[in-house]
Amino acid sequence: MSNNDEDERIPAMQSLIDNPFLLLFIGVVMPTVFYIIWGIMEIVTLPVAP
């Protein structure tokens, strides 16, 4: 007889949501990356000054 708790694996999303530091890291890094990409796109699309 084996214990069911030992046989069950923790799902990946549950382990992600259970880690507050990883959520904090994702919450800071993702907007930063999006704003940097957005800023680069804005700079590239600026018309050349005459």
Side-chain angles (χ1 to χ4, degrees), residues 8-28:
E8 292 183 24
R9 296 181 60 213
I10 298 175
M13 283 305 293
Q14 182 177 350
S15 62
L16 175 81
I17 301 239
D18 285 343
N19 189 346
F21 294 108
L22 185 60
L23 288 176
L24 176 65
F25 177 76
I26 291 172
V28 170

Side-chain angles (χ1 to χ4, degrees), residues 9 11 15 21 25-26 29 33-34 36 38 41-42 44 46-47:
R9 296 181 60 213
S15 62
F21 294 108
F25 177 76
I26 291 172
V29 168
V33 168
F34 285 136
I36 288 172
W38 185 12
M41 287 171 50
E42 287 289 324
V44 167
L46 279 175

